[in-house]
Amino acid sequence: MATLIVPAAVPPVAEDCEQLRKAFKGWGTNEKLIISVLAHRDAAQRRAIRRAYAETYGEELLRALNDEIHGKFERAVILWTLDPAERDAVLANEEARKWHPGGRALVEIACARTPSQLFAVRQAYHDRFKRSLEEDVAAHVTGDFRKLLVPLVTAYRYDGPEVNTSLAHSESKILHEKIHDKAYSDDEIIRILTTRSKAQLLATFNSYNDQFSHPITKDLKADPKDEFLGTLRAIIRCFTCPDRYFEKVIRLALGGMGTDENSLTRVITTRAEVDLKLIKEAYQKRNSIPLERAIAKDTTRDYEDILLALLGAEY
């Protein structure tokens, strides 16, 4: 499901560090050399490169990258080079501090990661920012969104396959009742969405569909401009169909008056080692055009090159 292409014979870490150092020296930065190394190493390999680079040259690789490259290319390279948990911590911090109702990074981190991955993100957040994630979410997010997002990012859900079918049946009725009454921020809706396991939630959403003859997300479209309803739909879609959820994020990022590079970069860098192949297939099916072609049309130069590399383009 991942699109990341790692060579069958990976060079020694010392050689990768030497190649990166070479890319930074001389007249101008060799961006293609940076891509050829970092965009074709998995998380453990990138971690080893960062450690070895610092030991060899007395300088953090991320600082060297920050000095040598700039703009949207820099952001893509830096986010990709970070450990997945550290990357999510950075994305969560950015969204919490500059929070707006249409933001989706916090929802994706809370709902499209495993419980253990979310726990690792919260630990990485402590280490990097010397505060807790929930502390910053509570400080910067307001109203019903705070009521929803604080328990969402602090959840440590059960991750097993067991399902209580009678509970799914009863809680789907609760959800339907509250949604019918337009009580979208009711404590019961928030309790169910922020505490139940993924398997239990899927059973509940299936029960909702069986009992009321349409998916729960349809009933949450009463007002397409209501960002709180949009957030509830995003939470549900991250659990039920993450590939189609992320396809839509990319489609919207590429389909506006200008390209939303932040959203595009976030999805590509966070899903390349997870399920980007499924997202590519969903994009092709929905838009009748390969994702690679759509990205090549809307991006340029080194930024285009790193995105296409992470999408699995030949190198």
Side-chain angles (χ1 to χ4, degrees):
M1 294 193 296
T3 53
L4 174 67
I5 296 178
V6 177
V10 178
V13 174
E15 185 176 325
D16 278 344
C17 292
E18 187 178 326
Q19 289 297 304
L20 289 169
R21 190 71 170 181
K22 180 180 175 183
F24 302 150
K25 299 303 177 183
W27 294 101
T29 305
N30 189 336
E31 290 86 354
K32 293 191 182 304
L33 186 53
I34 293 172
I35 294 170
S36 72
V37 176
L38 293 177
H40 299 285
R41 301 294 184 269
D42 64 26
Q45 292 162 344
R46 297 192 306 276
R47 190 181 311 122
I49 290 170
R50 285 177 64 187
R51 185 167 53 246
Y53 191 95
E55 291 172 354
T56 303
Y57 301 109
E59 179 184 27
E60 289 293 333
L61 175 60
L62 295 178
R63 182 177 294 278
L65 288 167
N66 188 64
D67 289 342
E68 295 295 330
I69 58 179
H70 307 284
K72 51 199 173 187
F73 175 60
E74 175 196 1
R75 179 170 174 81
V77 173
I78 294 292
L79 283 176
W80 173 248
T81 304
L82 290 169
D83 265 1
E86 190 179 7
R87 179 198 305 134
D88 279 348
V90 168
L91 291 169
N93 177 261
E94 288 177 353
E95 181 158 294
R97 287 187 300 105
K98 302 175 182 178
W99 184 82
H100 60 94
R104 292 290 180 263
L106 289 169
V107 168
E108 293 166 11
I109 291 164
C111 304
R113 312 296 191 259
T114 67
S116 60
Q117 287 170 342
L118 176 56
F119 189 73
V121 173
R122 293 171 61 197
Q123 290 179 309
Y125 201 99
H126 290 179
D127 293 340
R128 190 176 182 95
F129 301 109
K130 310 309 177 189
R131 299 183 302 277
S132 70
L133 172 55
E134 55 268 34
E135 184 180 355
D136 279 351
V137 172
H140 297 287
V141 181
T142 59
D144 288 341
F145 287 95
R146 177 164 60 190
K147 181 179 175 183
L148 172 65
L149 292 176
V150 170
L152 196 70
V153 301
T154 56
Y156 188 58
R157 303 173 192 269
Y158 175 62
D159 201 24
E162 292 81 5
V163 166
N164 183 326
T165 53
S166 62
L167 182 65
H169 185 78
S170 64
E171 291 195 333
S172 64
K173 284 186 174 181
I174 293 172
L175 290 171
H176 185 264
E177 176 189 338
K178 299 301 181 182
I179 292 170
H180 181 266
D181 292 341
K182 295 184 168 31
Y184 303 121
S185 61
D186 187 271
D187 289 349
E188 286 294 88
I189 289 180
I190 292 174
R191 176 186 64 80
I192 293 167
L193 292 182
T194 62
T195 64
R196 296 303 183 197
S197 71
K198 179 178 179 178
Q200 186 66 38
L201 283 175
L202 294 180
T204 300
F205 301 147
N206 286 335
S207 178
Y208 192 105
N209 193 30
D210 292 342
Q211 290 185 74
F212 307 109
S213 303
H214 55 262
I216 186 173
T217 48
K218 184 176 181 180
D219 284 341
L220 291 170
K221 289 183 178 178
D223 181 357
K225 295 182 180 179
D226 187 320
E227 290 290 4
F228 189 79
L229 292 185
T231 301
L232 293 178
R233 291 196 304 274
I235 290 169
I236 292 167
R237 286 172 60 82
C238 278
F239 283 117
T240 60
C241 51
D243 54 336
R244 285 186 284 134
Y245 165 82
F246 285 111
E247 180 278 324
K248 185 175 182 180
V249 175
I250 291 175
R251 174 163 33 96
L252 294 177
L254 295 173
M257 294 297 290
T259 305
D260 178 358
E261 286 97 354
N262 279 341
S263 294
L264 182 61
T265 300
R266 184 181 78 246
V267 174
I268 299 298
T269 56
T270 59
R271 308 312 289 184
E273 290 183 274
V274 184
D275 58 358
L276 193 51
K277 185 175 181 181
L278 294 178
I279 297 167
K280 282 173 55 177
E281 292 169 356
Y283 190 93
Q284 170 90 45
K285 183 176 181 179
R286 175 66 172 72
N287 304 283
S288 302
I289 180 175
L291 179 54
E292 293 89 340
R293 191 184 306 171
I295 285 179
K297 181 181 176 183
D298 269 40
T299 60
T300 58
R301 305 182 64 177
D302 304 314
Y303 179 58
E304 172 191 349
D305 290 342
I306 189 163
L307 295 186
L308 293 180
L310 294 179
L311 279 163
E314 295 297 324
Y315 70 101

